[in-house]
Amino acid sequence: MKIEQQNPSFANVNEEQLPVAKDKLHGWKHFAGLYAGEHVAATEFVIGATFVALGATTKDIILGLLIGNLLAMCSWWLITTPIAVETRMSLYHYLNKIAGNSMTKLYNWANVIIFTVISAAMITVSSTAVRFLFDIPAQLNWYPNNFWFVLIVLAVGSVVVLVAMYGFSTVASFSKICAPWLFVIFVSGSFALFPAISNHVLGTTTLTSWSDFIQIGDTSIWTGFNDKGEAGIGLLEVIGFAWAANSITHFGLIDMAILRYAKRKSYGLFSGVGMFFGHYIAWISAGIMGAGTAVLVQTSITQLDPGDVAYHALGLTGFVIIIVAGWTTANANLYRAGLAAQSIFTQASRRKATAVVGVVTVIVACFPFVFTQMLPLLTYAGLIVVPVGGIVFAEHVLFPKIGLTRYWVKYQNLSKSTPAIASWGLALVFGFGLNFLDVISFYYLFIPTWIFTIVIYTWLAKKYGADRKYPEAKQADELELEQIKQYQAQMDNKTPEFIQDTSLITRLLNITSFTALLVITFFAVQVMFYSPSMQSYALNKSNFELYCFIGTIIYFISSYTALKRQNKLNCIEAAAGQSS
């Protein structure tokens, strides 16, 4: 008798609620591409320039970002990936299993708020490029002071909401081809403006040594003083932010949803692709572009928005990078916010939930503070979510080691976990209390808050029954997991084997897109290293802006056409497999 006949309930269970089947696991290339695409984004313009405004020194930036991003990569590798691979569950499903439905709803509300704010920030960033085209003043206050800017935000935001509702799969595919181009553009933009900074500091457009770079950085980019002329942040703050920037996804375990598909626990290391291309090179490049723009227009970097910086560094391509990077990032996060909202309001469809959240997001996006305060917003978002990661870490990793029972809430058939809700609430009081008392830098608040949550949750869970044994319930749970594996093994739902399109046309398209990136890089290198005077620099930069824009158009046309051909081939093969 077939398993699905013995266990008909599995057929009616949403696939997301079951552990990932073995035949749906991915190899390392999938995760390298995924993290590269997500972490080379529009936020890099804002964060890179913010480090300049906060007054970090050049050596602190180079060393601090290196250490901080290494710590972030290790957090994904050693904390998130092991739990994801061992359980094959998303955080939402795992949390429901150990803390009940009430805690899961509270957590989803937190996610709605966090992802709404991040999406709003990206819509605002994209709008800065459009406002530049219409000569609308930069929006530097927490509120909008121009009616036309509000209209631009509403227009850009409406497109983002509609795509998140109806066309997210297309945007997700499009985002994959953006990562190589974004990386090249960030580096090229810094190359295009560095000679201007060098001339401003050294009186020459060319560098002769590494010490020249340090001198230029200390003098005109990462000066060690903030925009008020006070001593800026130091090495520990730079390390802390680089580590904390994505604490919501590694210590907070949100990326269990992604890494549950990993074949091996070591694949968490491929988060480093995003960290070092996006959060190291791109942040440094964005800082150079911001400082270079400030030199060219003779103003403070705090008086510039991403549209200003991108245009002066890249010309017309600057509009493209701001719009594309902001658009793809906003769509991904708005999609997440819609899913979280739909989990709360189960009677509403995902599209309807996304639409409602989208309206709120667009309204928030009209207020520029959401992107000007990205560093504290990301840090506080992590502080809100990290306690939940601590609860899951305690239950999954610590409980078996100290003789407590994992999944004790499920075994007691509880719909609400008082220890989990109380631990989260107490952790928020603890974390924000530390911030109020200014005990440690707020960039590091997630660490003691995480540890505090683990201790409190373990103590409370023991008092509420985690120290008991539930042999019958545990045996039934293990039997259910085994039945799910058998059910999945017998189901004809295997992911079709990916077929690489090796046709001549597709190969030519891929060669064309790669060549376009090489052309952009060539002209950027020419500006950086072969501009002996300001006259030659002006000429080289003009050529770079022209060919960068042409190369960008060619890259996206060829890459997207190749992607469509690749997808069409696999769709045809998948359909053929199903019919047979």
Side-chain angles (χ1 to χ4, degrees):
M1 184 178 294
K2 292 185 178 181
I3 295 292
E4 58 265 32
Q5 292 176 334
Q6 294 175 338
N7 302 283
S9 59
F10 293 151
N12 299 319
V13 174
N14 190 316
E15 188 177 355
E16 286 290 310
Q17 295 177 310
L18 299 177
V20 174
K22 188 176 180 179
D23 55 22
K24 292 187 178 294
L25 303 182
H26 295 296
W28 66 269
K29 292 181 181 178
H30 172 82
F31 299 96
L34 203 63
Y35 277 101
E38 184 170 353
H39 294 284
V40 185
T43 46
E44 284 34 284
F45 270 105
V46 180
I47 295 172
T50 303
F51 278 121
V52 177
L54 288 175
T57 68
T58 306
K59 290 181 180 178
D60 287 347
I61 285 292
I62 293 172
L63 182 60
L65 291 183
L66 176 65
I67 296 171
N69 285 309
L70 274 172
L71 289 170
M73 180 185 74
C74 290
S75 299
W76 267 296
W77 170 39
L78 299 175
I79 295 175
T80 314
T81 314
I83 300 175
V85 170
E86 288 170 15
T87 64
R88 298 298 179 192
M89 298 180 194
S90 69
L91 176 63
Y92 305 104
H93 182 209
Y94 193 94
L95 187 63
N96 193 63
K97 189 173 182 178
I98 69 169
N101 190 51
S102 298
M103 176 74 171
T104 305
K105 283 191 174 183
L106 285 173
Y107 182 71
N108 280 329
W109 269 115
N111 277 319
V112 169
I113 295 169
I114 290 168
F115 290 129
T116 294
V117 172
I118 294 175
S119 299
M122 294 302 96
I123 291 172
T124 310
V125 168
S126 289
S127 299
T128 64
V130 181
R131 73 94 193 151
F132 201 92
L133 287 171
F134 293 97
D135 199 29
I136 296 171
Q139 303 296 293
L140 303 172
N141 297 318
W142 68 268
Y143 56 88
N145 56 21
N146 187 285
F147 173 74
W148 294 105
F149 177 78
V150 173
L151 288 184
I152 288 172
V153 171
L154 294 177
V156 173
S158 297
V159 173
V160 170
V161 173
L162 287 172
V163 172
M165 288 171 60
Y166 296 101
F168 181 75
S169 60
T170 301
V171 175
S173 297
F174 181 67
S175 296
K176 292 178 183 178
I177 67 176
C178 289
W181 174 79
L182 282 168
F183 175 71
V184 168
I185 294 299
F186 267 106
V187 174
S188 296
S190 66
F191 279 15
L193 286 183
F194 202 85
I197 307 174
S198 177
N199 185 71
H200 175 72
V201 176
L202 302 177
T204 175
T205 54
T206 56
L207 300 181
T208 58
S209 65
W210 174 252
S211 61
D212 282 351
F213 175 81
I214 297 296
Q215 182 182 349
I216 292 168
D218 286 341
T219 304
S220 193
I221 307 174
W222 304 285
T223 63
F225 296 94
N226 62 25
D227 55 318
K228 297 177 182 177
E230 301 168 346
I233 61 174
L235 177 64
L236 289 177
E237 284 80 11
V238 175
I239 293 172
F241 176 74
W243 192 8
N246 287 100
S247 58
I248 186 175
T249 54
H250 47 73
F251 267 76
L253 299 181
I254 282 180
D255 270 3
M256 280 179 63
I258 295 172
L259 292 166
R260 61 184 165 149
Y261 290 94
K263 288 182 178 179
R264 297 183 178 88
K265 296 177 183 178
S266 60
Y267 288 0
L269 288 168
F270 290 101
S271 60
V273 177
M275 292 302 95
F276 288 100
F277 284 139
H279 292 188
Y280 190 73
I281 295 176
W283 282 355
I284 291 174
S285 297
I288 294 172
M289 283 189 275
T293 301
V295 167
L296 287 178
V297 301
Q298 298 183 340
T299 188
S300 166
I301 195 169
T302 58
Q303 300 302 308
L304 303 170
D305 66 18
D308 293 311
V309 174
Y311 175 74
H312 284 94
L314 301 159
L316 292 176
T317 309
F319 299 131
V320 180
I321 189 174
I322 292 293
I323 294 171
V324 168
W327 183 44
T328 54
T329 309
N331 269 291
N333 284 291
L334 184 57
Y335 181 77
R336 289 167 175 162
L339 284 176
Q342 197 269 333
S343 298
I344 299 168
F345 304 103
T346 54
Q347 300 302 315
S349 66
R350 184 197 64 79
R351 286 183 179 178
K352 186 175 180 179
T354 303
V356 174
V357 172
V359 171
V360 177
T361 300
V362 174
I363 293 172
V364 174
C366 293
F367 296 85
F369 80 90
V370 291
F371 86 84
T372 59
Q373 300 297 317
M374 277 303 292
L375 263 70
L377 283 173
L378 288 174
T379 304
Y380 290 133
L383 190 59
I384 292 171
V385 172
V386 157
V388 177
I391 291 168
V392 172
F393 182 87
E395 180 103 14
H396 188 81
V397 178
L398 190 61
F399 278 21
K401 297 181 185 300
I402 61 175
L404 300 184
T405 301
R406 192 189 287 168
Y407 310 138
W408 63 276
V409 168
K410 179 183 179 183
Y411 296 162
Q412 289 189 26
N413 292 317
L414 300 176
S415 61
K416 179 179 71 174
S417 170
T418 300
I421 296 174
S423 298
W424 193 12
L426 290 170
L428 293 179
V429 173
F430 176 80
F432 284 98
L434 288 179
N435 182 56
F436 177 76
L437 296 173
D438 198 22
V439 176
I440 61 173
S441 170
F442 84 106
Y443 298 119
Y444 288 97
L445 288 174
F446 74 98
I447 299 173
T449 302
W450 185 71
I451 295 171
F452 175 86
T453 309
I454 291 172
V455 173
I456 293 298
Y457 177 68
T458 302
W459 176 66
L460 288 175
K462 185 176 180 180
K463 286 188 171 295
Y464 275 77
D467 59 341
R468 301 178 209 154
K469 304 300 179 184
Y470 305 86
E472 293 182 0
K474 186 176 181 181
Q475 185 177 11
D477 194 39
E478 291 173 350
L479 177 61
E480 182 184 56
L481 286 174
E482 185 59 35
Q483 290 173 336
I484 289 172
K485 289 180 182 178
Q486 294 178 30
Y487 168 75
Q488 290 173 331
Q490 293 191 15
M491 287 293 291
D492 187 22
N493 65 346
K494 293 185 178 182
T495 303
E497 184 178 351
F498 180 80
I499 300 173
Q500 186 67 43
D501 186 357
T502 57
S503 65
L504 177 61
I505 294 176
T506 300
R507 279 187 290 170
L508 288 174
L509 288 168
N510 288 328
I511 291 171
T512 300
S513 62
F514 180 73
T515 303
L517 294 182
L518 286 180
V519 169
I520 294 172
T521 304
F522 170 81
F523 282 97
V525 169
Q526 186 179 51
V527 176
M528 176 74 176
F529 297 104
Y530 299 96
S531 300
S533 66
M534 285 302 290
Q535 289 78 13
S536 59
Y537 167 68
L539 177 62
N540 287 339
K541 188 170 186 300
S542 177
N543 288 334
F544 162 73
E545 290 179 2
L546 173 63
Y547 290 106
C548 183
F549 186 64
I550 294 172
T552 292
I553 294 173
I554 293 173
Y555 174 80
F556 278 114
I557 291 175
S558 56
S559 294
Y560 191 67
T561 304
L563 177 68
K564 295 292 285 184
R565 288 175 58 85
Q566 179 72 72
N567 289 345
K568 183 178 180 180
L569 174 66
N570 281 276
C571 284
I572 292 173
E573 292 295 333
Q578 290 175 358
S579 63
S580 61

